[in-house]
Amino acid sequence: MKKSVWSMCGMCTVRCPIRVEVEGNTPTWIEGNQHILKGALCAKGSAGPALVADKERPQQPLIRKGGRGAGRWEAVSWEFALDYVADKLTAIIDRHGPEAIMASSRGGPFQDLVKAFTHAMGSPNYTNHDSACGRNVHHASISLFGLGRKGFIYDIKNAKHLVLFGRNILSSLRPAEVNQVMDMLDKGGRLTYVDVRQTLTGIKATNFFQVRPGTDYALALALIHEIIKAEGYDADFVERYTTGFDELAYFVENYSAEWAAKECGIKAKDIHELVGQLIADRPKVVFHPGWMLSRYNDSFYASRALNCLNALMGNIEVEGGLIFAKGAGDCGGKGPRSLTELSPKPTAKRADGVGEVYKQFEKGPGLFHLFYKAMATSKPYPIKGIICVRHDPFACFPDPKAQKEALDNCDLIVSIDTHYSEFGWYADVILPESTYLERDSMIALQKGMKPRLVMRNKAIEAQANTRDLYSIIKGLATRLGLDEYFPHNTMQDLWAWQLEPTGFSLADFEKKGFVEYADKPVLYDRDKLDGKFKTPSGKIEIISQKLGEWGFPSWKPYESPPKPPKGQYRLVFGRSPIHAHSHTINNPLLNELMPQNTLWINTREGGKMGIAEGDLVDVISGDVTSVVIAKLTDFIHPEAVYTVHGFGRQIPLQTRAYHAGMSDQKLMKGQLQNMDPVGGGLNLCETFVAVRKSSKNHQRKREL
Amino acid sequence: MNTYTLYLNSKRCIGCHGCVVHCKANKGLPVGPILCEISHERLKSVRGVPKTEFKFRSCYHCEDPFCVTICPTGAMKKREDGIVYVDAPKCIGCMACAGACPWGIPQHNPETNKAVKCDYCMDRLDAGLQPACVTKCTTHALKLVAMKEI
Ligand code: SF4
Ligand code: SF4
Ligand code: SF4
Ligand code: SF4
């Protein structure tokens, strides 16, 4: 019998709404929810069943037998594994207190569960991966608007002009957003793309700027300068809703198009032309403030400048601009319950110092990398146990070797994941989570122009001895005597409890797979936006009061990034639409399409080193050398080399991904704590690597 | 007479290779056979922007298909509506079809030891649906176009 299940893709963190057809216990067809995506799905989305069928993911709980990372495992039962973890956690709590335990999970709609568990134990130390992703953008947005980076929806499809700084939007690939971009282009909209190299996004651009790496902030400042000089900004909006405009005008005085052209290695005439277009297209211009903007040591300020350009365009709460993300309350409704409501707020101070030592950072998930400091120094107190849920810090933060040294101070390392992560391979215990097609997830509210409730229903029963996250967490909570915080015995009970205040029921999801709070997009009256900006002044703070209080300037004078020494290059990384970073490299169908990455080298630079397309090259940083295939292109800045992130995996049980391609983060030697002091993001593009033709190239024929 | 063709709006296509996997997943294919391909030329600068366009190729469903003529068992067939397809039970996996096809289009499925190729997802068409690649194309750039008989 065939059945059809509404669910949510889990191949990447976009979490597209899907409909799955199932025969027996096999998913036979997955498509994007017709009501939202009209069927559209990316390559990864269709490769989900290949993940389920893959025997190269953990098939039952595993406990380490040899040394950490040695790869000797004992397969154990769930009861045994959960007892083991609970005993170790209890021992840590008894000796060091609950705050000696930290947990990390994916950001997004489902962080509740892990956060609630951390709090229930009595530890404040919940965190996630965001210091290697969007923290700079988030904090920049808060300093300006008083709202985080998810506080606005970008109405791209109705825009006349989309400006992207290093945001490779068509490869990073959120299908709904990609379709908005394509719709905008179909309607004659303009796309401006700024990057150190050409990308699948840039080939669709109207204007393309190949800038010197690390100079985004310079170009953004020049745009502000020229727009102000030409009086091309929305003066009424600026007057009404912003503070600090005059200071900004004064600050950018020296940052002209001519200056930026020199700094970025582009033409002043092209900048002027862009400024003309922006003024003509305003207010329907969207400056994307960046997504993964943990790159350079001024990325926080670059993002702040881009968002400030949004304010100058006066594009807030206008069609084709930035729209406030609306919640249930904006539609007169109530949101679903969250598990964190049940657990007590921990009183201990965070071990990462966020909110105490670092007042400038939002407490929420704190900053993962700072916990490594606490581990290594026992300051402010020791961290002895760590649980990572579907998060692989070795794949996302720099210098895994340094991370391992810090982790060696821990008594317990647990990985809860659907696949073998590099972190999991170093862990003491692997608790295998069921894949997204085999598990239910909690109900979540997605804010937007039309806020909605979304959920993931399992399409099939688990095909290996794996469990869904709620069962795993509840299993641990019960053993730790924390049952009262996780009172629901089944997902159905949990869902019903979550839905209670909303007035909706599970039956309401049957028709479309989601529930909407409004029929039409909800827009605020643009003349009454006072109080919508949650800054101290209630306005868009071009000069931020809070930054001032904490001793940081709202605008940092531009500093030219250093050029790499001779024979070295700045290592930058990015994404392919085929893989979701390290997560999918071993998926049989995706691996078939893209089994390894390459190193992009500027053609002329390659020529100087005698490197030809397809040659093997050594990429060297400190004591780490990676060998990878060279790809020569004219369309990368000569100071940079580029690779797709996620490869170079070293887990022998993942036979397809094992040692295929190179890993950028392993080359980021000594960069683990290289943090943007204001934004909290790691500076992931501040590593120089040496490149040379590898001795591993076939020199002469030696065999028959 | 051919009734259909697959048309790619290359302006919308983003080269994500979704279609390739949508096709394979729908047919339950293992690693090996790939029935449709996305390709592009090297980037060339057009008014200051390095550009390229994507091409989609599956099978041409030829008017007089060599693959059909050469097939020793009559497994490779052409339907009334022009779709050239493999009648799997009859296929012995000799791959003569691939040799005869000027583009080597038919692929070998190592799991079944039979030939497999694009059939415009005729089971889906017959059920009133669109081919897998068309239905799920990330940007809705692919269309199944019915050619008008002249
Ligand atoms: S973008 Fe692709 S992998 Fe990610 S959730 Fe959507 S369909 Fe799944
Ligand atoms: S799925 Fe669509 S957009 Fe992606 S490569 Fe195929 S045709 Fe192009
Ligand atoms: S397989 Fe080759 S010969 Fe046969 S119909 Fe297709 S393109 Fe023509
Ligand atoms: S029509 Fe069907 S068989 Fe042909 S390429 Fe598309 S998905 Fe594959």
Side-chain angles (χ1 to χ4, degrees):
Chain A
M1 241 258 312
K2 220 181 204 173
K3 66 172 182 173
S4 171
V5 185
W6 295 118
S7 195
M8 192 188 281
C9 183
M11 290 297 284
C12 84
T13 46
V14 174
R15 305 183 181 89
C16 291
I18 54 174
R19 190 180 66 82
V20 189
E21 286 174 18
V22 180
E23 276 181 66
N25 200 34
T26 309
T28 52
W29 174 260
I30 305 177
E31 66 179 24
N33 187 321
Q34 289 289 347
H35 302 286
I36 297 173
L37 293 172
K38 300 199 183 80
L41 210 63
C42 82
K44 291 153 280 170
S46 270
L51 165 71
V52 175
D54 188 11
K55 292 282 178 270
E56 295 191 359
R57 65 178 169 100
Q59 303 286 306
Q60 70 283 302
L62 297 169
I63 292 185
R64 177 171 64 80
K65 265 178 29 185
R68 278 185 180 152
R72 290 178 56 219
W73 300 99
E74 186 175 2
V76 296
S77 69
W78 274 101
E79 301 317 308
F80 189 90
L82 292 173
D83 284 346
Y84 182 90
V85 173
D87 286 350
K88 291 266 181 182
L89 287 174
T90 309
I92 294 170
I93 292 170
D94 289 349
R95 265 196 77 185
H96 305 278
E99 64 274 16
I101 297 163
M102 67 175 284
S104 172
S105 76
R106 285 269 142 215
F110 303 130
Q111 38 188 323
D112 254 45
L113 189 46
V114 179
K115 199 178 192 176
F117 178 62
T118 317
H119 289 181
M121 283 187 289
S123 170
N125 295 319
Y126 168 75
T127 187
N128 68 18
H129 77 294
D130 208 41
S131 64
C133 189
R135 274 295 100 172
N136 285 332
V137 180
H138 187 68
H139 287 130
S141 179
I142 292 179
S143 76
L144 205 65
F145 299 121
L147 296 167
R149 69 158 167 168
K150 294 189 179 152
F152 291 101
I153 305 293
Y154 314 138
D155 186 18
I156 295 170
K157 100 173 154 292
N158 293 311
K160 287 189 184 162
H161 201 143
L162 173 64
V163 187
L164 304 169
F165 275 63
R167 173 64 180 152
N168 186 2
I169 205 165
L170 301 182
S171 291
S172 303
L173 220 168
R174 307 162 67 82
E177 187 178 63
V178 162
N179 276 292
Q180 288 211 32
V181 177
M182 301 326 289
D183 289 351
M184 178 201 81
L185 290 173
D186 277 350
K187 286 195 274 182
R190 292 191 257 233
L191 176 66
T192 293
Y193 191 73
V194 182
D195 206 336
V196 303
R197 65 178 186 112
Q198 182 54 306
T199 63
L200 288 172
T201 305
I203 60 171
K204 306 283 185 193
T206 327
N207 312 299
F208 171 66
F209 294 96
Q210 185 171 292
V211 295
R212 182 159 100 80
T215 62
D216 290 356
Y217 185 40
L219 181 54
L221 289 176
L223 292 178
I224 296 177
H225 170 109
E226 296 297 340
I227 287 168
I228 294 180
K229 202 169 101 190
E231 294 185 14
Y233 56 95
D234 184 335
D236 291 343
F237 184 85
V238 166
E239 168 69 28
R240 172 132 200 218
Y241 291 122
T242 71
T243 67
F245 176 79
D246 294 342
E247 281 106 312
L248 174 68
Y250 178 74
F251 173 76
V252 295
E253 213 150 82
N254 292 325
Y255 300 126
S256 65
E258 285 64 28
W259 165 81
K262 255 210 201 123
E263 183 57 30
C264 305
I266 54 180
K267 292 191 189 117
K269 156 178 126 340
D270 295 344
I271 304 178
H272 286 297
E273 198 174 311
L274 171 61
V275 168
Q277 291 175 8
L278 292 169
I279 295 172
D281 294 339
R282 158 175 96 67
K284 297 191 175 204
V285 177
V286 173
F287 277 88
H288 197 296
W291 182 269
M292 199 296 308
L293 206 66
S294 302
R295 296 180 202 265
Y296 308 106
N297 52 30
D298 59 8
S299 286
F300 168 84
Y301 287 102
S303 182
R304 201 162 192 278
L306 291 170
N307 258 331
C308 188
L309 280 157
N310 280 319
L312 295 184
M313 295 286 108
N315 69 2
I316 311 291
E317 210 67 359
V318 258
E319 200 180 78
L322 266 57
I323 314 266
F324 283 92
K326 312 298 183 314
D330 292 301
C331 311
K334 285 220 164 69
R337 281 198 186 113
S338 147
L339 271 176
T340 41
E341 291 168 23
L342 294 180
S343 45
K345 265 234 142 78
T347 46
K349 287 177 182 157
R350 293 184 63 98
D352 57 3
V354 170
E356 300 289 329
V357 190
Y358 304 103
K359 294 238 188 312
Q360 68 273 36
F361 303 141
E362 196 192 46
K363 264 193 192 167
L367 296 173
F368 191 122
H369 61 275
L370 293 175
F371 284 103
Y372 283 132
K373 270 192 177 168
M375 265 176 215
T377 61
S378 289
K379 285 197 180 91
Y381 49 79
I383 291 287
K384 292 291 175 189
I386 174 167
I387 305 174
C388 283
V389 181
R390 242 177 298 120
H391 172 205
D392 186 353
F394 293 178
C396 92
F397 297 124
D399 203 344
K401 209 167 151 208
Q403 297 182 52
K404 287 177 190 170
E405 277 164 26
L407 282 168
D408 285 340
N409 296 298
C410 286
D411 300 337
L412 177 68
I413 306 178
V414 180
S415 165
I416 302 179
D417 212 327
T418 54
H419 63 286
Y420 292 111
S421 68
E422 301 256 322
F423 173 84
W425 199 248
Y426 198 72
D428 304 328
V429 184
I430 296 178
L431 300 177
E433 194 187 4
S434 302
T435 67
Y436 72 98
L437 289 167
E438 305 163 304
R439 69 170 186 260
D440 293 320
S441 300
M442 294 179 56
I443 288 171
L445 175 79
Q446 266 176 3
K447 289 187 167 187
M449 288 193 243
K450 292 200 282 178
R452 60 183 171 229
L453 293 175
V454 295
M455 66 187 300
R456 175 184 285 132
N457 288 298
K458 65 173 163 189
I460 55 171
E461 294 304 321
Q463 298 195 349
N465 189 11
T466 58
R467 288 190 180 174
D468 67 80
L469 189 59
Y470 187 75
S471 317
I472 299 173
I473 296 291
K474 187 165 167 70
L476 289 174
T478 306
R479 285 166 173 81
L480 293 171
L482 304 172
D483 238 346
E484 60 181 303
Y485 306 118
F486 301 90
H488 315 287
N489 288 320
T490 63
M491 281 309 280
Q492 276 68 24
D493 290 352
L494 176 59
W495 286 335
W497 173 78
Q498 279 195 284
L499 282 178
E500 214 169 13
T502 69
F504 295 114
S505 75
L506 282 180
D508 294 321
F509 288 79
E510 272 165 27
K511 207 163 144 214
K512 295 177 167 179
F514 58 93
V515 173
E516 274 174 329
Y517 281 89
D519 309 329
K520 283 196 292 230
V522 182
L523 289 181
Y524 298 145
D525 183 344
R526 192 158 170 279
D527 293 330
K528 292 182 192 142
L529 292 179
D530 306 270
K532 297 287 184 212
F533 304 105
K534 305 294 176 201
T535 50
S537 65
K539 300 208 173 193
I540 301 173
E541 294 190 352
I542 294 175
I543 300 296
S544 155
Q545 287 187 28
K546 287 248 175 90
L547 283 179
E549 273 168 33
W550 298 322
F552 297 108
S554 285
W555 298 95
K556 181 173 104 159
Y558 180 78
E559 281 169 51
S560 191
K563 282 195 168 66
K566 201 167 178 300
Q568 294 191 27
Y569 300 89
R570 192 183 282 264
L571 178 64
V572 302
F573 60 92
R575 268 190 80 163
S576 145
I578 292 167
H579 284 296
H581 303 307
S582 63
H583 194 83
T584 56
I585 306 293
N586 201 51
N587 182 293
L589 293 187
L590 301 174
N591 186 270
E592 177 182 27
L593 279 183
M594 188 176 182
Q596 56 192 332
N597 54 3
T598 58
L599 188 75
W600 291 31
I601 307 170
N602 178 280
T603 312
R604 255 204 256 151
E605 293 295 316
K608 280 190 214 160
M609 294 181 283
I611 295 167
E613 172 99 10
D615 278 350
L616 291 174
V617 290
D618 296 332
V619 193
I620 307 154
S621 164
D623 58 355
V624 182
T625 302
S626 297
V627 183
V628 71
I629 296 169
K631 174 190 151 77
L632 298 187
T633 168
D634 295 343
F635 304 108
I636 183 167
H637 194 277
E639 284 181 19
V641 289
Y642 162 84
T643 196
V644 173
H645 176 71
F647 286 87
R649 297 176 65 71
Q650 288 174 303
I651 297 162
L653 288 183
Q654 293 187 326
T655 57
R656 296 171 286 263
Y658 190 50
H659 281 301
M662 67 172 257
S663 136
D664 51 280
Q665 78 277 8
K666 286 176 190 149
L667 287 159
M668 295 174 195
K669 289 296 291 180
Q671 299 288 316
L672 183 55
Q673 298 297 340
N674 187 357
M675 171 182 82
D676 187 313
V678 204
L682 288 163
N683 302 328
L684 300 177
C685 295
E686 297 284 6
T687 300
F688 294 141
V689 293
V691 177
R692 64 171 182 223
K693 192 163 168 172
S694 176
S695 61
K696 295 213 167 58
N697 282 297
H698 217 71
Q699 309 263 334
R700 275 194 193 84
K701 226 172 138 193
R702 293 267 185 254
E703 289 179 273
L704 272 178
Chain B
M1 190 60 209
N2 276 358
T3 315
Y4 310 109
T5 187
L6 281 169
Y7 162 75
L8 176 69
N9 176 355
S10 63
K11 265 179 81 185
R12 263 192 100 91
C13 174
I14 56 166
C16 70
H17 287 77
C19 44
V20 180
V21 186
H22 303 330
C23 169
K24 290 196 66 155
N26 178 50
K27 288 197 161 25
L29 296 179
V31 170
I34 288 181
L35 307 195
C36 58
E37 287 194 57
I38 287 284
S39 62
H40 68 92
E41 306 269 306
R42 276 192 90 101
L43 302 186
K44 255 201 238 114
S45 198
V46 184
R47 266 177 269 113
V49 185
K51 297 228 170 201
T52 186
E53 293 210 337
F54 294 102
K55 291 198 196 90
F56 174 91
R57 187 180 83 170
S58 61
C59 158
Y60 298 102
H61 297 270
C62 303
E63 219 45 81
D64 293 305
F66 296 138
C67 59
V68 171
T69 336
I70 203 154
C71 177
T73 65
M76 191 67 85
K77 289 179 175 159
K78 190 171 173 78
R79 292 209 313 190
E80 281 266 291
D81 58 4
I83 296 178
V84 178
Y85 71 101
V86 183
D87 183 359
K90 286 203 178 134
C91 176
I92 53 169
C94 70
M95 297 314 289
C97 50
C101 169
W103 304 277
I105 298 269
Q107 304 273 298
H108 181 249
N109 180 344
E111 262 175 16
T112 58
N113 191 28
K114 288 179 193 294
V116 56
K117 67 179 277 301
C118 167
D119 56 5
Y120 287 158
C121 296
M122 60 188 200
D123 51 331
R124 289 181 56 83
L125 289 188
D126 294 346
L129 301 165
Q130 293 284 304
C133 54
V134 173
T135 311
K136 303 205 278 179
C137 165
T138 311
T139 63
H140 310 291
L142 270 177
K143 295 270 176 292
L144 183 77
V145 186
M147 295 197 285
K148 284 205 196 89
E149 288 197 44
I150 306 157

